[in-house]
Amino acid sequence: DTGVSQNPRHKITKRGQNVTFRCDPISEHNRLYWYRQTLGQGPEFLTYFQNEAQLEKSRLLSDRFSAERPKGSFSTLEIQRTEQGDSAMYLCASSLLSSGNTIYFGEGSWLTVV
Amino acid sequence: GESVGLHLPTLSVQEGDNSIINCAYSNSASDYFIWYKQESGKGPQFIIDIRSNMDKRQGQRVTVLLNKTVKHLSLQIAATQPGDSAVYFCAEMEYGNKLVFGAGTILRVKS
């Protein structure tokens, strides 16, 4: 158990619907990352936060995707107008930059768009 | 762009043998490397890490070797067990930045 909590673990949604995933990082970790992973591939970076500031966004993060970390603790990743190509596992990870920045992942949230 | 790649997509070993998983990286500015283990349906699990000022680091049954000259990373697992069967990823980071992952190596342990 890494301590990073994600929910829901599984989500099936119809194309065109909006979905939101939540991530609770390890307590006091100041960095929070979102990655996307499809079958047979390594995780792909989407975005990351330091405290509440979003420091970098991948070009994979289209305008249908938005991530927030309003109080520097939990984070949400929202996908609007979902498409079948959005089907993937969405991984959250956290780290403490001042303590070596070892990055720990949660168990992921599986999204299936039908 | 910069990328991390793996030499062997699948590795099959006999239970009790040692396993070696290799990884090549291309960003010479990367200063931090991590090996993760991922079992089916689960998130990546941290195994061991190494910083660029080291060339070897040991953990419990695992050793990571870093060769900066040829930009090569390896994970050695001693006395491989069935529970070690998983996909293994190496990942690199340039200080304060994001992790970049390779495609992964499947490790299959035969009993």
Side-chain angles (χ1 to χ4, degrees), chain A:
Chain A
D1 184 1
T2 63
V4 178
S5 176
Q6 292 188 245
N7 66 83
R9 291 293 318 281
H10 299 88
K11 178 72 175 178
I12 300 174
T13 191
K14 292 183 179 179
R15 188 175 52 186
Q17 297 295 304
N18 299 343
V19 296
T20 299
F21 299 112
R22 176 179 169 124
C23 173
D24 288 273
I26 294 172
S27 178
E28 298 184 355
H29 275 194
N30 51 10
R31 284 275 178 99
L32 186 148
Y33 304 79
W34 285 100
Y35 281 77
R36 182 172 71 186
Q37 186 177 26
T38 54
L39 284 175
Q41 301 294 320
E44 297 174 294
F45 171 77
L46 292 179
T47 188
Y48 82 94
F49 294 83
Q50 183 161 316
N51 299 314
E52 66 275 9
Q54 189 172 17
L55 296 188
E56 186 176 346
K57 293 192 294 185
S58 164
R59 60 181 180 274
L60 294 175
L61 212 66
S62 75
D63 57 5
R64 295 185 298 105
F65 288 69
S66 62
E68 296 181 344
R69 195 183 184 196
K71 298 182 180 179
S73 56
F74 74 92
S75 175
T76 58
L77 176 69
E78 181 183 20
I79 308 173
Q80 296 182 326
R81 305 181 303 281
T82 52
E83 301 173 356
Q84 287 187 324
D86 297 331
S87 296
M89 180 162 68
Y90 291 85
L91 290 161
C92 178
S94 72
S95 68
L96 182 61
L97 186 59
S98 62
S99 182
N101 206 32
T102 301
I103 297 177
Y104 297 97
F105 281 82
E107 297 288 42
S109 293
W110 283 98
L111 174 64
T112 302
V113 182
V114 297

Side-chain angles (χ1 to χ4, degrees), chain B residues 15-91:
Chain B
E15 181 179 0
D17 288 351
N18 296 335
S19 302
I20 299 176
I21 301 172
N22 295 302
C23 175
Y25 66 94
S26 57
N27 183 1
S28 57
S30 291
D31 57 3
Y32 181 50
F33 305 87
I34 306 178
W35 280 101
Y36 288 94
K37 172 187 179 183
Q38 188 172 29
E39 296 174 294
S40 181
K42 296 186 177 182
Q45 176 187 353
F46 173 87
I47 301 173
I48 192 167
D49 59 359
I50 189 167
R51 301 202 175 273
S52 59
N53 60 352
M54 303 173 69
D55 54 20
K56 180 179 180 179
R57 191 163 189 224
Q58 288 184 295
Q60 186 176 9
R61 281 201 309 119
V62 295
T63 300
V64 55
L65 299 177
L66 174 62
N67 186 330
K68 294 181 289 293
T69 302
V70 295
K71 289 185 281 189
H72 183 266
L73 197 68
S74 69
L75 176 70
Q76 300 178 1
I77 304 173
T80 313
Q81 302 169 0
D84 294 327
S85 293
V87 180
Y88 289 80
F89 294 97
C90 66

